[in-house]
């Protein structure tokens, strides 16, 4: 006996209208119609709904939709092609999560390295580019590149020359530490933004701890999602 939208909705804890929306969005496999014109769902659709919900919790709803649509799109194509496309999206999500972990670890290590460094003595007028570059062991051009990327925000004197105060020197030392770990400038930018907005080292440490916990919860959700996807693929493409 077929399943009704309300049956799928109850299984996933959503509304019957959401089930219809999922069908229209390609999240569910196509549904046949009864002689009376009603859509007829089966066990595949029930499992697709629960799989999509698990994927959404683990990988995010945009990625979950893309994964499910990859599986259901292009019915004339070989099933292995559709499955490979879906798994490639899963791999990309895991790779992104791994990069986030590495960036978070680098942030923590760089923060502790900077926090453990003796306070920089900075003249009241600040340091000029060449002076700061000499302290950090980098070229002056590197500081200009970092400024252009929004990593440093030095002030200017009346002649228009850059002047780096104590806070600017601290920021530059953090950037230099991250660059030594070979982190690209686009990766460092959100780190510096958070460092400034968090209110200092202690607040950033707390933010890092919270983010680590969040990544841990997401990793477990991704494991649950991968298990659900594995079970669904066994139903829709048992030969893959």
């Amino acid at each position: 006996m077929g399943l009704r939208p309300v049956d799928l909705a109850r299984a996933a804890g959503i509304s019957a209208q959401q089930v219809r929306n999922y069908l229209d969005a390609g999240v569910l496999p196509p549904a046949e119609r009864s002689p009376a014109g009603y859509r007829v769902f089966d066990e595949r659709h029930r499992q697709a709904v629960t799989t999509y919900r698990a994927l959404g919790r683990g990988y995010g709803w945009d990625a979950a939709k893309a994964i499910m649509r990859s599986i259901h799109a292009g019915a004339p194509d070989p099933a292995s092609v559709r499955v490979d496309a879906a798994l490639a999206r899963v791999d990309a999500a895991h790779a992104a999560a791994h990069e986030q972990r590495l960036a978070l670890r680098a942030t923590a290590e760089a923060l502790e390295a900077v926090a453990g460094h003796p306070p920089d003595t900075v003249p009241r007028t600040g340091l000029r580019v060449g002076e700061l570059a000499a302290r950090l062991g980098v070229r002056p051009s590197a500081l200009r590149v970092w400024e252009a990327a929004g990593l440093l925000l030095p002030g200017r004197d009346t002649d228009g020359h850059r002047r780096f105060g104590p806070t600017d020197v601290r920021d530059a030392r953090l950037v230099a530490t991250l660059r030594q770990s070979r982190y690209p400038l686009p990766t460092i930018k959100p780190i510096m933004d958070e460092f400034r907005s968090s209110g200092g080292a202690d607040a950033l440490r707390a933010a890092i701890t919270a983010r680590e916990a969040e990544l841990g919860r997401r990793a477990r959700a991704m494991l649950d999602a991968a298990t659900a996807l594995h079970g669904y693929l066994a139903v829709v493409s048992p030969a893959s």
Side-chain angles (χ1 to χ4, degrees):
M1 185 176 68
L3 299 174
R4 302 166 299 169
V6 68
D7 297 322
L8 303 185
R10 288 170 179 165
I14 58 177
S15 69
Q17 183 58 51
Q18 280 181 284
V19 172
R20 299 184 185 95
N21 293 342
Y22 290 172
L23 181 64
D24 293 339
V27 169
L28 306 184
E32 297 181 356
R33 290 187 179 271
S34 69
Y38 295 105
R39 289 189 176 105
V40 178
F41 298 97
D42 56 28
E43 180 59 24
R44 288 179 310 143
H45 296 91
R46 187 199 66 77
Q47 193 160 349
V49 169
T50 57
T51 298
Y52 173 65
R53 300 292 294 179
L55 289 171
R57 290 188 292 270
Y59 300 111
W61 298 107
D62 289 341
K65 181 181 292 185
I67 290 168
M68 296 301 287
R69 292 181 68 172
S70 294
I71 296 172
H72 302 141
D77 295 335
S80 59
V81 174
R82 303 197 303 275
V83 170
D84 286 347
L87 293 180
R89 294 182 181 278
V90 171
D91 290 343
H94 282 279
H98 179 62
E99 288 299 321
Q100 290 175 19
R101 280 188 179 277
L102 292 179
L104 197 63
R105 185 181 308 162
T107 304
E109 292 174 353
L111 179 62
E112 296 310 318
V114 171
H117 188 275
D120 287 282
T121 301
V122 181
R124 188 177 63 179
T125 55
L127 298 175
R128 300 187 68 168
V129 170
E131 295 170 329
L132 179 55
R135 286 199 184 191
L136 299 179
V138 301
R139 295 182 178 182
S141 59
L143 296 177
R144 297 187 182 97
V145 170
W146 298 350
E147 180 186 359
L151 308 182
L152 301 179
L153 305 172
R156 302 271 180 165
D157 61 22
T158 55
D159 294 328
H161 296 113
R162 296 172 179 83
R163 290 289 181 175
F164 296 85
T167 300
D168 302 314
V169 174
R170 177 207 63 187
D171 291 352
R173 194 171 294 283
L174 180 56
V175 173
T177 303
L178 290 167
R179 289 295 289 154
Q180 288 172 1
S181 298
R182 300 186 180 279
Y183 278 85
L185 300 185
T187 300
I188 298 175
K189 179 64 165 61
I191 294 173
M192 297 306 299
D193 291 343
E194 186 171 5
F195 186 44
R196 295 189 184 100
S197 65
S198 64
D202 290 341
L204 183 54
R205 286 191 189 95
I208 290 172
T209 298
R211 181 61 177 150
E212 287 175 337
E214 179 185 341
L215 286 175
R217 289 190 294 270
R218 184 184 175 195
R220 288 188 288 272
M222 290 171 79
L223 286 175
D224 291 340
T227 300
L229 180 61
H230 178 73
Y232 183 61
L233 291 177
V235 172
V236 299
S237 184
S240 299

